[in-house]
Amino acid sequence: MDLKSNHTSPILTDPTPSKSRLQVPSHLLQYSGVTFTPNLLLTVPTMNAGIIDIRANNCLHSMESSSPPHKKSRDINNDLASTDMDVAYRAWLLKYPSALASFEQITNFAKGKRITLFLDYDGTLSPIVDNPDCAFMSNDMRAAVKNVAKCFPTAIISGRSRDKVFEFVGLTELNYAGSHGMDIMGPVRQSSDDYHDCIRSTDKQGKEVNLFQPASEFLPMIDEVYNSLVNNIEEIQGAKVENNKFCVSVHYRNVDEKDWKTVAQRVHDVIRNYPRLRLTHGRKVLEVRPVINWDKGKAVTFLLESLGFSNYDDVLPIYVGDDQTDEDAFKVLREGNRGYGILVSSVPKESNAFFSLRDPQEVMEFLKSLVVWTKKTSTL
Ligand SMILES: [Mg+2]
């Protein structure tokens, strides 16, 4: 099968190319074909099948918009900007209250339900670091995740490859979904259903599991694009290309800002030959992904069904994440008040989440609080 040819795969309608912020510079309002709604949520028109026209300039604007200006020195202007940001953050908390401050509200809603936890990895359980290969989680965080997984079904859903995120987390008590949910290893599903790509397998401990890889046909194409991006991008100082199995990440965190345009142009030049791939943006990372109707939100639904929670009346899913790709999961939970999305962010930005946490440290406090609450309620 020629994967470069036109296809019949459904097109995602939510490929938001950047993190929108409350303080959106006016020049970013001039995206071609992209509009900002009054609440500054970035929306992109539905694309025609087979056409992914992300121009290099738009790509560059998105890179700039997802990267707040560097704080070069501590001076009066920076102090004032910092104060402004604190005020903006406090105002933002009125819309996205802290999950720690709202803990009682969350647990009240959880009464009589089974909490199910979904956790992003980078920026949620681990700090964002310069070298993506060194995004290690702390031992304290690992212990917190291990303890919470003893209380509730817990899954990690990451943009990394499943093997890589397992390497970082190293806990066998969890379910793992890599490649933005396109590579799920989860419990054996009891019911026969429509997930044709779902196969029986065994995990590293020999336990029987289900393996679901809805983008498996894209593997050769992803490998080809990865090699092409390595050849074209990695000569730019600081740029790093990561093969996440069903998607490819181009990290530009360590690239001098003057070279971002070159990164954007070269990525664009490579993927223009692959109409079945699309480009999305994360935190200082461009991500090349298959155009399939699958995302982290669908991965949450799939895992809930696998865990036997098709009926949302008896389960409270909680999803904690910091990335644009996590918005798909927040949206699924927000629709019909199925559960709670918790956005990890230290800056104000629009989200489909209900609550917020400032950083991974607060995520750890939240996980610990859930364990304490569970132990307390189980002894009542
Ligand atoms: Mg993340």
Side-chain angles (χ1 to χ4, degrees):
M1 181 179 182
D2 178 12
L3 291 176
K4 288 183 189 175
S5 62
N6 281 344
H7 60 87
T8 56
S9 297
I11 301 290
L12 287 174
T13 56
D14 54 352
T16 313
S18 73
K19 292 163 186 282
S20 61
R21 298 178 185 283
L22 291 179
Q23 302 295 325
V24 179
S26 58
H27 70 276
L28 295 177
L29 300 173
Q30 296 163 7
Y31 278 168
S32 168
V34 178
T35 56
F36 285 85
T37 57
N39 61 3
L40 294 182
L41 270 174
L42 191 61
T43 59
V44 181
T46 305
M47 292 175 289
N48 295 325
I51 298 173
I52 307 295
D53 188 15
I54 300 173
R55 299 195 185 283
N57 278 346
N58 281 353
C59 181
L60 178 63
H61 286 324
S62 297
M63 291 162 80
E64 290 166 348
S65 70
S66 67
S67 310
H70 297 299
K71 217 174 178 180
K72 285 180 179 147
S73 61
R74 185 168 179 82
D75 58 25
I76 184 86
N77 288 333
N78 279 335
D79 285 347
L80 286 172
S82 170
T83 305
D84 284 351
M85 186 54 96
D86 288 346
V87 170
Y89 191 82
R90 282 199 294 275
W92 179 75
L93 282 176
L94 297 174
K95 190 170 178 185
Y96 304 98
S98 162
L100 289 171
S102 311
F103 191 74
E104 200 177 333
Q105 183 189 338
I106 293 170
T107 48
N108 278 341
F109 193 70
K111 279 176 189 160
K113 298 178 183 228
R114 187 81 197 274
I115 289 178
T116 307
L117 265 182
F118 299 94
L119 304 167
D120 171 46
Y121 181 73
D122 290 87
T124 298
L125 299 182
S126 73
I128 298 289
V129 293
D130 285 347
N131 183 349
D133 288 336
C134 297
F136 305 114
M137 66 196 290
S138 67
N139 287 334
D140 285 349
M141 179 65 94
R142 185 171 293 101
V145 174
K146 189 181 172 87
N147 288 334
V148 88
K150 286 179 190 163
C151 302
F152 319 113
T154 302
I156 307 280
I157 304 186
S158 170
R160 303 269 198 163
S161 74
R162 183 166 47 78
D163 286 345
K164 185 74 184 176
V165 79
F166 178 75
E167 207 178 287
F168 278 133
V169 178
L171 296 172
T172 55
E173 294 88 342
L174 317 176
N175 294 302
Y176 290 87
S179 309
H180 299 293
M182 288 182 282
D183 186 9
I184 302 176
M185 187 174 273
V188 172
R189 296 169 70 88
Q190 299 305 322
S191 59
S192 60
D193 50 35
D194 298 331
Y195 296 105
H196 301 300
D197 296 311
C198 201
I199 56 168
R200 293 277 176 108
S201 182
T202 50
D203 66 10
K204 287 189 169 72
Q205 288 70 46
K207 191 176 75 180
E208 199 176 10
V209 291
N210 260 160
L211 189 60
F212 184 56
Q213 298 178 328
S216 53
E217 66 173 310
F218 286 86
L219 269 180
M221 183 192 285
I222 292 290
D223 283 343
E224 192 178 299
V225 166
Y226 168 72
N227 289 328
S228 185
L229 286 169
V230 167
N231 290 335
N232 283 279
I233 302 288
E234 287 207 336
E235 66 184 29
I236 302 169
Q237 194 172 2
K240 183 170 175 53
V241 184
E242 184 179 9
N243 188 338
N244 293 318
K245 193 162 182 173
F246 295 104
C247 52
V248 180
S249 299
V250 178
H251 300 274
Y252 60 94
R253 176 168 297 275
N254 296 323
V255 175
D256 194 298
E257 214 164 320
K258 71 177 170 40
D259 293 328
W260 286 6
K261 189 176 178 183
T262 311
V263 173
Q265 186 62 55
R266 291 191 184 181
V267 171
H268 181 253
D269 288 347
V270 169
I271 72 158
R272 71 190 310 162
N273 299 318
Y274 296 90
R276 296 192 72 200
L277 299 179
R278 68 188 179 109
L279 189 61
T280 60
H281 300 75
R283 291 172 68 170
K284 301 260 181 91
V285 62
L286 300 174
E287 309 221 53
V288 180
R289 302 165 60 178
V291 179
I292 61 166
N293 190 10
W294 195 262
D295 53 39
K296 286 184 171 183
K298 291 193 167 56
V300 165
T301 303
F302 178 89
L303 278 164
L304 282 170
E305 289 171 6
S306 301
L307 291 161
F309 295 123
S310 302
N311 180 356
Y312 279 93
D313 290 342
D314 54 10
V315 64
L316 177 63
I318 296 176
Y319 188 108
V320 190
D322 73 316
D323 237 324
Q324 187 59 45
T325 55
D326 298 316
E327 291 295 330
D328 295 317
F330 296 155
K331 202 169 160 191
V332 161
L333 298 186
R334 179 177 276 272
E335 283 167 2
N337 289 325
R338 288 170 172 170
Y340 291 133
I342 301 177
L343 174 67
V344 183
S345 181
S346 59
V347 293
K349 60 185 177 190
E350 288 295 333
S351 174
N352 285 302
F354 270 94
F355 298 106
S356 67
L357 290 167
R358 190 181 271 268
D359 51 30
Q361 183 64 33
E362 286 200 358
V363 173
M364 186 165 72
E365 284 175 44
F366 180 72
L367 299 182
K368 285 180 175 176
S369 300
L370 281 175
V371 173
V372 171
W373 171 77
T374 306
K375 286 182 177 162
K376 244 190 230 170
T377 50
S378 65
T379 55
L380 289 177

